[in-house]
């Protein structure tokens, strides 16, 4: 009777895990359908904006035309960003939910709830930032910290990630929303993925007079080896993250009369071996 009871208990646990997995799969299907519908709406809205711009080009006088053209270009740029997010987010969301699902299967409910809370907070902040073309640097770094906490699950928490704010008043600095995420993603999947041993990503904020500098440094394999690895792949997909980042910073500078910019710095040791990559922003 004890063995039968134990077997029945094991079956109940197994059935419960299968139900949890089925609910996750159903939720993923719902999210995929929502993303596809959202993508179609974005494409339709983008097509409408382009049509309106063409109509304005035909009917407006030169001065009025230039003003409208700049406005439409800014809106189209934002729509491109939304379209890019709708293409990137399904991959990230799918992987994040799969990572959290492992904790449910292993019956580690405490960790599952912990990371689900972080995941929901991250999605909420991304949606909030999508409604505006700029947020504070403080909010941007909060999003990046949430993003890294989720991505680090897939690296078994082996990435040492830190943000040094150095008492800079980052709440008063406005930046384009989600401007740092593509660089963190590149550091993860091109710089640190194939690296053995210690893996670090450090964000450092400093201020000199009226200029704020922000650097993103990783100790990965370096850009040259990363490009060689990409070249060896039979399937290649051009990354649009850097292109859209340049466009968004250009529009931000034009709209706010600022001069934001960023540069890549290849890091080397005393023997000229690649020891990582650094991206330096000047705000």
């Amino acid at each position: 009777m004890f063995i039968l009871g134990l077997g029945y208990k094991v079956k109940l646990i197994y059935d419960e895990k299968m139900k949890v997995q089925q609910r996750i799969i159903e939720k993923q299907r719902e999210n995929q359908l929502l993303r596809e519908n959202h993508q179609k709406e974005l494409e339709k809205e983008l097509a409408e904006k382009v049509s309106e711009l063409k109509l304005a080009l035909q009917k407006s006088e030169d001065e009025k035309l230039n003003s409208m053209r700049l406005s439409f270009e800014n809106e189209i740029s934002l729509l491109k960003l939304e379209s890019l997010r709708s293409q990137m987010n399904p991959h990230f969301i799918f992987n994040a939910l799969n990572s959290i699902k492992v904790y449910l299967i292993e019956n580690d409910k405490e960790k599952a709830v912990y990371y689900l809370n972080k995941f929901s907070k991250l999605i909420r902040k991304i949606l909030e930032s999508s409604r505006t073309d700029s947020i504070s640097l403080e909010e941007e770094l909060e999003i990046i910290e949430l993003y890294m906490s989720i991505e680090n699950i897939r690296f078994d928490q082996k990435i040492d990630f830190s943000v040094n704010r150095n008492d800079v008043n980052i709440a008063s600095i406005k930046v384009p929303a989600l401007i740092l995420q593509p660089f963190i993603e590149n550091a993860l999947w091109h710089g640190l993925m194939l690296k053995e041993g210690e893996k670090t990503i450090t964000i450092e904020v400093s201020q000199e007079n009226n200029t704020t500098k922000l650097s993103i440094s990783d100790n990965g394999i370096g850009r040259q080896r990363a490009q060689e690895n990409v070249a060896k792949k039979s399937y290649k997909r051009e990354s649009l993250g850097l292109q859209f980042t340049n466009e968004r910073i250009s529009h931000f500078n034009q709209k706010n009369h600022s001069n934001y910019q960023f540069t890549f710095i290849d890091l080397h040791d005393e023997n000229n071996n690649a020891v990582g990559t650094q991206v330096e922003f000047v705000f």
Side-chain angles (χ1 to χ4, degrees), residues 47 72 155-156 239 257 270:
F72 277 123
F155 286 84
D156 297 325
S239 175
H257 306 289
E270 61 275 7

Side-chain angles (χ1 to χ4, degrees), residues 72-231:
F72 277 123
E73 282 181 354
N74 187 47
E75 291 186 35
I76 289 173
S77 177
L78 292 176
L79 287 172
K80 283 182 178 180
L81 173 63
E82 289 293 337
S83 179
L84 177 63
R85 285 174 183 162
S86 68
Q87 293 170 18
M88 293 172 59
N89 285 343
H91 183 70
F92 167 70
I93 291 173
F94 178 79
N95 289 327
L97 288 175
N98 269 341
S99 299
I100 295 172
K101 182 180 70 175
V102 172
Y103 292 129
L104 293 173
I105 294 174
E106 295 176 351
N107 209 26
D108 193 341
K109 296 181 180 179
E110 184 175 346
K111 282 188 177 179
V113 171
Y114 175 77
Y115 284 109
L116 276 173
N117 286 336
K118 282 186 172 292
F119 180 74
S120 63
K121 187 176 181 180
L122 172 63
I123 296 301
R124 184 173 68 252
K125 284 187 171 293
I126 289 176
L127 292 174
E128 289 173 352
S129 68
S130 300
R131 299 171 185 169
T132 179
D133 62 344
S134 67
I135 59 176
S136 71
L137 183 55
E138 182 177 36
E139 293 172 308
E140 176 74 4
L141 291 177
E142 287 177 1
I143 291 175
I144 293 302
E145 288 175 319
L146 286 169
Y147 173 78
M148 271 300 305
S149 68
I150 300 298
E151 286 285 42
N152 218 350
I153 300 176
R154 299 168 62 193
F155 286 84
D156 297 325
Q157 306 297 336
K158 292 180 180 178
I159 297 178
D160 182 10
F161 175 74
S162 61
V163 178
N164 302 320
R165 294 170 172 82
N166 294 318
D167 296 325
V168 177
N169 185 17
I170 55 178
S172 63
I173 302 170
K174 292 293 182 181
V175 297
L178 292 179
I179 200 69
L180 302 180
Q181 188 272 339
F183 299 94
I184 298 294
E185 186 176 27
N186 283 340
L188 286 171
W189 300 109
H190 298 296
L192 299 177
M193 173 62 75
L194 300 178
K195 176 183 168 57
E196 300 293 337
E198 181 184 3
K199 301 178 181 182
T200 64
I201 296 180
T202 302
I203 297 179
E204 185 89 22
V205 185
S206 61
Q207 195 162 35
E208 298 177 8
N209 299 325
N210 294 325
T211 301
T212 299
K213 293 185 178 181
L214 181 146
S215 64
I216 302 174
S217 305
D218 67 72
N219 67 337
I221 61 176
R223 289 195 298 165
Q224 182 176 347
R225 278 189 58 193
Q227 291 170 358
E228 292 172 356
N229 290 333
V230 171

Side-chain angles (χ1 to χ4, degrees), residues 228-246:
E228 292 172 356
N229 290 333
V230 171
K232 293 177 183 177
K233 294 181 180 179
S234 58
Y235 172 72
K236 302 179 181 66
R237 180 177 66 86
E238 181 183 1
S239 175
L240 298 177
L242 185 58
Q243 176 185 340
F244 281 130
T245 298
N246 276 316

Side-chain angles (χ1 to χ4, degrees), residues 39-86:
Q39 178 69 17
K40 291 178 181 178
E41 291 175 1
L42 287 174
E43 290 174 353
K44 181 180 177 182
E45 187 175 350
L46 180 57
E48 290 175 353
K49 291 295 182 183
V50 171
S51 298
E52 291 175 12
L53 179 57
K54 289 180 178 178
L55 182 62
L57 285 170
Q58 295 172 358
K59 296 182 178 180
S60 299
E61 298 177 356
D62 290 343
E63 184 176 349
K64 183 179 179 181
L65 175 62
N66 288 332
S67 176
M68 292 185 67
R69 178 175 57 81
L70 291 175
S71 176
F72 277 123
E73 282 181 354
N74 187 47
E75 291 186 35
I76 289 173
S77 177
L78 292 176
L79 287 172
K80 283 182 178 180
L81 173 63
E82 289 293 337
S83 179
L84 177 63
R85 285 174 183 162
S86 68

